[in-house]
Amino acid sequence: MTPINLPEFVSVSKLAQLTNVTYQEMAEKMGELGFENTSHDHILGAEEAGLIAMEYNFDPTLGAQEEAEAEERDLKALPEPAPEDKEFLPVRPPVVAIMGHVDHGKTTILDYLRKSSIAASEHGGITQHIGAFSVGLSSGKTITFLDTPGHAAFLEMRKRGATVTDIIILVVAADDSVKPQTIEAIKHAQSAHVPIIVAVNKIDKEEANVERVKQDLARHGVEIEDFGGETQVVPVSGKTGQGIDELEDAAVTLSEILDHRAATEGQVEGWVIEATTKPGGRVATVLVRRGTLKPGTIIVAGKTWARVRSLRNEAGVSQMSAGPGTPIEVDGWRDQPDAGDEVIQAPNEQKAADVVAFRDEKAERIRMAEDMEKINAQRREQQIQRDLTKEAAAAEKAAEKAARAAGTDTPGHQTVPFIIKADVSGSAEAVSAYLLQMTNPLCLPKLLRASVGPVSEFDIEHADAAGGHIISFNLPHDPESAGRAERKGIKILEQNVIYRIVDDVRAVLEEKLPPQKIQKVTGEAEVVMSFEIGIGGRKKMKIAGLKVRNGVVSRGSRVRVTRGEERVYDGTVTSLKNVKKDVQEMRRGTECGMGFEGWEGFEVGDMIQTFEEKTQKRTLPI
């Protein structure tokens, strides 16, 4: 086979030139291979182009060379040591995640363990982002706790927490039992094969029912000890401290059985738990997985890197090192890392910069591939448009123009753009996911972008240009930015509790909706005869003789007349008579004469409906 170097993206006609065949032959071959689009300007990726080139006895070797280059330029985590080698490594503190439904008392239990008061300082009494803390227990052991948020909007963050933990303490309120987030936490633990300890909290309440909790857990696949399983259930009270010692003992015992060990020497690896910007610069909480992190160490996380300037524990105290299983706050980042990024040590700054550059290039290639797909899709649509008749194409363009003029992406759909600014990247990610879940056929939120930091002048200008608004989550109020936004008619939705954002966003969306017309049927009647009455001089008016079947028919009300399945009239009642006497209304069981505005085409057997019509503000469903 003849070697051939193919570019990342190549058109069909260019590939034909490179393989020295005619375009017609290339198009026929692509059709045989199952390609739907064989136009000369259709863009092919390297993999597709290589597959076609092989049909002409060419050997596309560039992809393999690029893969080898990727292995050389990027950083990879070291493989896990063999079980027989692992037993000689030092013991590390276990990482324990506290999970469960919102308001079931997760943070209160952590407060008792570390003798602090996080719950009192949290807005709305719920934890806003993942916090990691090393706790020295009375037994002399050290355990790292991850306090994962319980609200449904933090689903992705809880998934991330489950993947880096050794043990999950599932908190279930004794007076509330198993709830949706409880079930999600169970599924995450089972899919990640992480053992569970159940803490049945709030046993000090009168409504507490521990047995009910055990039965509900068993129904959801948790094999508890009382029913022959291995999962411990510990009744506790985060408020009084009852049972906390037993919960501590259970965690320590399970960690000793699992025997968690990691190398303290060699390449440092870990995870970014959260990242934010402080007055001193960009910082990130890193949970060390292996190795020992020290000031001066060069680490890469995602598409940024850092020469560690300082290390601080959860109390803000400087540390000289952080070993496996230890959460530590790191500063010295070139750019802000993202929560969930894998941290890997680099040998020097040049290597770190090269890795970041390579990852940027790789991300750019992925974006280019997506752009090529969009270009191909757009070209296919254009071809379809060319095949349409001129009349159909003109009608479609007119509909698109009308939709754009109404500020909608598609006829009947309003979109309202939003920019999200948050205190930490994990919160920005969670709020974004929460916003995009608010789907409705009438009006949709559209995410322009989400980032960390206060609302800037650029954010306001961007929102103004897009006709959108800004969500400020867990950030201090900035009067200057608020004033600038107000002058441009832009709303800054400030919130500290994530589940209240939906109400603010819904209110903004509802303002864009047209009023809704409501029709209420007030009466029903049947035409039983037809007669004429004089209305002055020689003029006469045809009147329908009715039998009122239901409700009340009124003069001046809106009316519709149906004949079988067909609607034959929609208008207004102009006259209503009872034995030639004008009346305002007639009720069920009575007979009357009715005249219609500009219409006398009724027949015996026609059905009459009178109705009231009013408009009201539309609301979006919760």
Side-chain angles (χ1 to χ4, degrees):
M1 298 180 75
T2 306
I4 185 173
N5 286 333
L6 297 175
E8 188 90 28
F9 303 101
V10 61
S11 67
V12 174
S13 57
K14 182 66 176 176
L15 181 61
Q17 292 177 13
L18 292 173
T19 54
N20 199 27
V21 299
T22 64
Y23 163 68
Q24 288 77 11
E25 184 180 350
M26 178 67 70
E28 290 177 6
K29 177 64 70 175
M30 289 176 63
E32 294 173 5
L33 293 174
F35 285 86
E36 294 182 1
N37 195 330
T38 60
S39 60
H40 70 92
D41 58 353
H42 180 70
I43 306 297
L44 298 167
E47 186 176 343
E48 293 175 319
L51 177 66
I52 298 168
M54 290 172 66
E55 292 292 318
Y56 294 99
N57 206 32
F58 285 96
D59 180 18
T61 57
L62 182 62
Q65 293 173 1
E66 287 183 346
E67 188 174 338
E69 181 188 4
E71 288 293 329
E72 186 177 332
R73 291 186 62 186
D74 205 358
L75 286 173
K76 299 292 183 182
L78 297 175
E80 281 290 313
E84 58 270 19
D85 297 331
K86 203 167 186 178
E87 64 184 33
F88 297 104
L89 298 176
V91 175
R92 65 164 175 82
V95 180
V96 179
I98 307 291
M99 290 186 169
H101 192 71
V102 63
D103 293 333
H104 275 199
K106 301 178 298 298
T107 307
T108 309
I109 290 176
L110 272 180
D111 288 345
Y112 196 92
L113 285 167
R114 59 187 172 166
K115 301 297 186 289
S116 63
S117 184
I118 298 297
S121 67
E122 291 287 359
H123 297 287
I126 68 168
T127 307
Q128 299 295 324
H129 49 77
I130 290 179
F133 310 89
S134 285
V135 179
L137 305 177
S138 57
S139 62
K141 299 282 186 179
T142 298
I143 295 182
T144 294
F145 285 100
L146 293 185
D147 183 9
T148 60
H151 192 270
F154 290 90
L155 175 62
E156 292 303 317
M157 294 178 70
R158 286 209 308 279
K159 283 182 180 177
R160 183 181 303 128
T163 58
V164 300
T165 54
D166 304 312
I167 300 170
I168 288 176
I169 292 181
L170 180 65
V171 178
V172 187
D175 61 337
D176 206 17
S177 196
V178 175
K179 290 295 178 184
Q181 277 80 33
T182 317
I183 298 170
E184 289 170 11
I186 293 170
K187 290 179 179 177
H188 298 160
Q190 291 174 340
S191 62
H193 305 290
V194 179
I196 296 175
I197 297 174
V198 178
V200 181
N201 194 25
K202 303 185 181 181
I203 60 171
D204 52 300
K205 289 195 170 185
E206 292 183 5
E207 306 86 8
N209 188 336
V210 178
E211 288 304 315
R212 174 194 165 200
V213 173
K214 291 179 180 179
Q215 292 168 5
D216 288 347
L217 288 169
R219 278 196 292 269
H220 287 91
V222 180
E223 300 175 352
I224 62 176
E225 283 184 333
D226 289 4
F227 300 158
E230 296 181 354
T231 302
Q232 298 180 73
V233 177
V234 184
V236 300
S237 170
K239 184 177 180 181
T240 66
Q242 181 182 349
I244 296 294
D245 290 341
E246 288 79 1
L247 180 64
E248 176 184 322
D249 292 340
V252 170
T253 303
L254 183 56
S255 68
E256 290 176 348
I257 294 172
L258 296 173
D259 193 26
H260 298 112
R261 297 172 181 270
T264 56
E265 303 295 330
Q267 177 173 290
V268 177
E269 298 172 8
W271 297 95
V272 175
I273 300 299
E274 67 178 12
T276 187
T277 301
K278 293 188 175 182
R282 303 180 186 93
V283 298
T285 301
V286 173
L287 178 62
V288 181
R289 187 174 66 217
R290 65 179 297 164
T292 302
L293 186 60
K294 300 177 182 179
T297 303
I298 299 166
I299 52 176
V300 177
K303 290 186 283 186
T304 185
W305 63 279
R307 176 182 285 277
V308 178
R309 189 159 50 223
S310 65
L311 301 173
R312 291 185 177 84
N313 63 14
E314 65 272 12
V317 179
S318 294
Q319 304 291 304
M320 294 310 297
S321 64
T326 304
I328 200 77
E329 187 180 83
V330 178
D331 69 352
W333 297 95
R334 294 301 189 270
D335 291 299
Q336 191 78 59
D338 292 327
D341 283 345
E342 187 176 25
V343 176
I344 300 178
Q345 182 179 355
N348 50 57
E349 291 188 4
Q350 182 58 46
K351 177 63 176 177
D354 187 47
V355 168
V356 170
F358 171 74
R359 292 179 179 180
D360 284 333
E361 291 169 10
K362 185 177 180 181
E364 182 62 27
R365 287 199 297 271
I366 292 172
R367 283 193 294 270
M368 284 179 62
E370 292 172 350
D371 290 343
M372 288 302 102
E373 284 295 322
K374 291 177 182 177
I375 290 172
N376 286 334
Q378 187 177 21
R379 285 174 175 169
R380 285 194 296 269
E381 290 177 5
Q382 289 172 350
Q383 184 62 44
I384 292 171
Q385 289 288 353
R386 285 192 291 269
D387 294 340
L388 293 173
T389 63
K390 292 182 179 181
E391 292 80 8
E396 186 170 331
K397 289 179 181 178
E400 290 176 356
K401 184 177 180 181
R404 287 195 296 270
T408 61
D409 284 349
T410 56
H413 288 71
Q414 292 264 27
T415 58
V416 181
F418 287 93
I419 293 172
I420 295 174
K421 301 303 295 261
D423 56 338
V424 297
S425 57
S427 294
E429 176 186 328
V431 175
S432 301
Y434 197 68
L435 181 72
L436 295 176
Q437 288 175 6
M438 296 180 63
T439 57
N440 186 275
L442 297 175
C443 196
L444 304 172
K446 178 180 179 182
L447 178 62
L448 294 178
R449 56 188 172 83
S451 59
V452 174
V455 177
S456 65
E457 185 174 355
F458 172 73
D459 296 325
I460 296 172
E461 294 296 332
H462 190 181
D464 183 40
H469 303 286
I470 300 171
I471 295 174
S472 172
F473 182 71
N474 213 14
L475 296 172
H477 177 70
D478 183 357
E480 184 178 347
S481 296
R484 187 182 299 116
E486 186 177 0
R487 287 191 292 273
K488 290 182 176 290
I490 296 167
K491 293 184 179 179
I492 298 181
L493 309 179
E494 297 181 346
Q495 273 297 352
N496 292 326
V497 179
I498 193 169
Y499 55 74
R500 293 178 187 158
I501 289 176
V502 65
D503 297 326
D504 295 342
V505 172
R506 184 183 292 111
V508 172
L509 297 180
E510 288 175 350
E511 290 177 2
K512 299 287 185 181
L513 299 177
Q516 184 177 21
K517 287 186 177 182
I518 303 296
Q519 291 184 351
K520 178 183 178 183
V521 176
T522 57
E524 295 178 331
E526 181 182 357
V527 179
V528 295
M529 64 177 296
S530 174
F531 58 92
E532 293 183 341
I533 61 171
I535 56 174
R538 295 184 178 180
K539 294 182 178 179
K540 292 188 177 182
M541 178 179 179
K542 193 175 180 182
I543 295 293
L546 306 181
K547 176 77 171 180
V548 182
R549 302 297 187 189
N550 289 298
V552 178
V553 295
S554 306
R555 186 167 63 181
S557 64
R558 295 276 297 166
V559 63
R560 67 173 64 93
V561 182
T562 56
R563 188 172 298 148
E565 299 295 326
E566 180 186 2
R567 182 182 299 185
V568 294
Y569 175 74
D570 198 332
T572 307
V573 177
T574 55
S575 65
L576 194 64
K577 298 180 180 292
N578 181 13
V579 194
K580 296 187 178 181
K581 178 183 176 183
D582 289 333
V583 292
Q584 285 297 117
E585 62 180 36
M586 295 295 290
R587 297 185 174 274
R588 175 182 177 181
T590 60
E591 297 180 349
C592 61
M594 180 179 289
F596 306 94
E597 182 179 22
W599 184 69
E600 295 182 347
F602 48 83
E603 298 177 0
V604 174
D606 287 350
M607 298 303 297
I608 310 292
Q609 272 191 341
T610 59
F611 58 91
E612 294 177 351
E613 191 172 63
K614 60 181 180 179
T615 59
Q616 68 179 27
K617 180 181 177 182
R618 287 184 185 269
T619 58
L620 295 175
I622 297 176

